[in-house]
Amino acid sequence: MPDFSDDIPTLRRILSSARTIAVVGLSAEWHRPSFFAAKYMQEHGYRIIPVNPRYAEILGERCHASLATIEVPVDIVDVFRRTEDVLPIAEQAIAIGAKCLWQQIGVKNLEAARIAAEAGLDVVMDRCVKIEHARLFGGLHWAGVNTGVISARRGG
């Protein structure tokens, strides 16, 4: 089985070289983790391409029913789906020439990871793209968001 490296230098390389993230399972509901993570990444200069057949548009971008209908190169395929749903997503990520298959926190499909890695994709499992970006590039507040306020005091 290939090594699925998620060490700091690898995560930093993936996030600093990527510009386009296809978010599979992105919700238009503002309180959902997928929306929160995608909005954060969009605000930090990444183009977000929503992949969810339930919506026409999310975050100002046309929504796609699958990865196959995306017309632009995709750097990261960020998966907000159940573990058992990831294998066909990995196959689509390979088919469109994505550079990284990123399985969000709680998602860890080893077979999908194996085929993606064997096809030359970077593979990240059980990690949040927003948390890792904030941790490695700044912006991680004790509550998980960047308030823009610099202070040693909490609250008030």
Side-chain angles (χ1 to χ4, degrees):
M1 169 120 352
D3 176 34
F4 307 119
S5 183
D6 61 359
D7 58 277
I8 288 174
T10 300
L11 294 172
R12 189 180 304 276
R13 175 184 54 78
I14 291 168
L15 292 171
S16 63
S17 65
R19 295 286 31 112
T20 304
I21 304 173
V23 184
V24 181
L26 178 55
S27 173
E29 305 295 325
W30 68 268
H31 61 278
R32 302 290 304 173
S34 62
F35 185 90
F36 188 75
K39 184 167 176 52
Y40 170 90
M41 297 305 284
Q42 188 180 57
E43 289 172 351
H44 284 81
Y46 295 85
R47 178 171 181 200
I48 300 300
I49 300 177
V51 180
N52 189 329
R54 294 180 51 213
Y55 304 102
E57 183 179 289
I58 303 174
L59 294 171
E61 291 278 352
R62 179 170 68 95
C63 215
H64 294 265
S66 74
L67 293 171
T69 63
I70 298 172
E71 307 91 2
V72 298
V74 171
D75 298 311
I76 299 173
V77 173
D78 187 14
V79 184
F80 278 92
R81 295 291 308 271
R82 294 181 307 219
T83 297
E84 57 269 21
D85 296 336
V86 179
L87 187 56
I89 295 166
E91 292 166 346
Q92 287 182 27
I94 294 164
I96 67 167
K99 297 175 185 166
C100 176
L101 178 67
W102 191 300
Q103 300 179 54
Q104 278 290 335
I105 290 176
V107 183
K108 195 170 186 177
N109 186 311
L110 295 175
E111 179 63 13
R114 183 188 63 75
I115 68 161
E118 287 176 357
L121 279 70
D122 286 312
V123 175
V124 179
M125 293 186 289
D126 198 25
R127 288 187 181 268
C128 174
V129 70
K130 182 259 180 237
I131 291 172
E132 295 307 319
H133 182 276
R135 180 173 72 100
L136 297 171
F137 300 102
L140 190 61
H141 177 264
W142 66 272
V145 296
N146 183 0
T147 63
V149 177
I150 300 172
S151 174
R153 272 186 26 213
R154 295 196 184 195

